[in-house]
Amino acid sequence: MTQPGYKQFCPVAMAAEVLCSRWTMVLLRELIAGSTRFNDLRRGVPRMSPSLLSQRLKELEQAGIVEKRPLPSEKGVFAYHLTQAGQDLRPIIEAMGFWGQKWVESSLSLKNLDPSLLMWDMRRNLDPRPLPARRVVVEFLYTDLPASKRRWWLVIEPDASVDLCWSDPGFDIDLYVTTDLRTMTAIWMGLTTVAREDARLKLDGARDVARSMQSWLGLSPFAVQEKLVP
């Protein structure tokens, strides 16, 4: 890694030299969550520059945490996979997430609102089982955002695949969700629920899809952790 070393033989210090550069742990979170392609990793770290993302991936590869594999189906395209050393970081990343959910103030977390990251995480964690066995399209409208970032679409196919669209996919809409970004982020983080936010969350469309929203909505994997600070 590029940062100065701690010059200590302690395993904690040695691990920190590899893992504690800016964005590295967040990038590892994305790899552990299952993202392998460069563009998918970018969606999970939208405020990280492409050049820095490339640099961090190279550093993780040099450290034996990530390996780059060519995709046979797409010439010149590579996927990034965690090695055994990388997989061994899973409980560490998860422990950090649960610690943050438990001890970091909600008001601090909710200052860092990002619609693209929120929607990407919702797409990744969505549970299609409570939804009808057909294509279901949900449009999200964030009233407090500029027009270019206001509308997002989740398209859930019968095979349980989920696509996130930044422009109208052209399908009939099953459910319109109108709210503000802070409210939707708080629901996703498990700080509140769909039912509790009835005044700030407007649902229009198929009643069965609306009624089951709390069940199919892709919540944070750390939402199950009770917060011990307000």
Side-chain angles (χ1 to χ4, degrees):
M1 295 292 172
T2 57
Q3 75 270 23
Y6 295 106
K7 301 188 185 303
Q8 291 188 358
F9 61 81
C10 169
V12 173
M14 299 301 292
E17 289 186 15
V18 176
L19 300 174
C20 291
S21 56
R22 182 170 171 79
W23 287 108
T24 297
M25 295 299 281
V26 181
L27 176 55
L28 285 167
R29 177 203 68 194
E30 287 303 303
L31 288 159
I32 286 170
S35 296
T36 58
R37 297 195 181 202
F38 189 86
N39 285 339
D40 287 345
L41 290 167
R42 282 196 66 194
R43 292 186 180 101
V45 286
R47 299 191 182 186
M48 186 181 189
S49 70
S51 60
L52 182 57
L53 174 56
S54 294
Q55 179 184 333
R56 290 291 181 263
L57 286 168
K58 288 177 183 176
E59 291 170 349
L60 290 171
E61 191 176 2
Q62 291 167 1
I65 293 171
V66 166
E67 60 180 359
K68 186 168 74 170
R69 304 176 193 167
L71 287 175
S73 58
E74 299 181 49
K75 187 176 181 181
V77 178
F78 294 86
Y80 297 87
H81 295 270
L82 292 167
T83 63
Q84 183 60 56
Q87 290 291 349
D88 281 354
L89 290 168
R90 179 183 297 273
I92 298 171
I93 301 295
E94 291 176 347
M96 286 184 66
F98 283 115
W99 184 92
Q101 179 78 356
K102 189 175 183 179
W103 293 111
V104 175
E105 294 180 18
S106 302
S107 59
L108 296 178
S109 298
L110 292 173
K111 286 181 180 178
N112 302 313
L113 300 178
D114 187 324
S116 58
L117 177 58
L118 173 64
M119 295 304 301
W120 181 247
D121 277 334
M122 286 167 56
R123 180 211 67 84
R124 178 161 54 198
N125 295 316
L126 189 143
D127 181 1
R129 290 175 297 177
L131 293 170
R134 56 174 173 78
R135 177 186 291 140
V136 175
V137 182
V138 183
E139 178 179 327
F140 290 80
L141 173 62
Y142 295 115
T143 55
D144 55 327
L145 296 185
S148 60
K149 296 183 178 181
R150 188 171 297 166
R151 294 179 183 274
W152 304 78
W153 292 263
L154 290 174
V155 181
I156 305 97
E157 298 289 356
D159 64 359
S161 63
V162 184
D163 289 327
L164 171 63
C165 301
W166 287 264
S167 58
D168 190 340
F171 301 126
D172 291 338
I173 307 298
D174 293 276
L175 183 67
Y176 295 88
V177 179
T178 305
T179 187
D180 60 271
L181 183 58
R182 183 185 176 92
T183 296
M184 196 70 249
T185 303
I187 293 172
W188 179 80
M189 290 178 64
L191 304 176
T192 185
T193 64
V194 171
R196 277 190 231 151
E197 297 302 326
D198 184 59
R200 296 186 180 92
L201 189 71
K202 183 181 179 183
L203 305 179
D204 294 310
R207 291 184 179 180
D208 56 340
V209 178
R211 279 196 302 265
S212 61
M213 182 173 175
Q214 186 69 43
S215 299
W216 57 256
L217 188 63
L219 297 184
S220 163
F222 309 112
V224 295
Q225 171 63 57
E226 180 185 0
K227 229 170 186 6
L228 296 186
V229 293

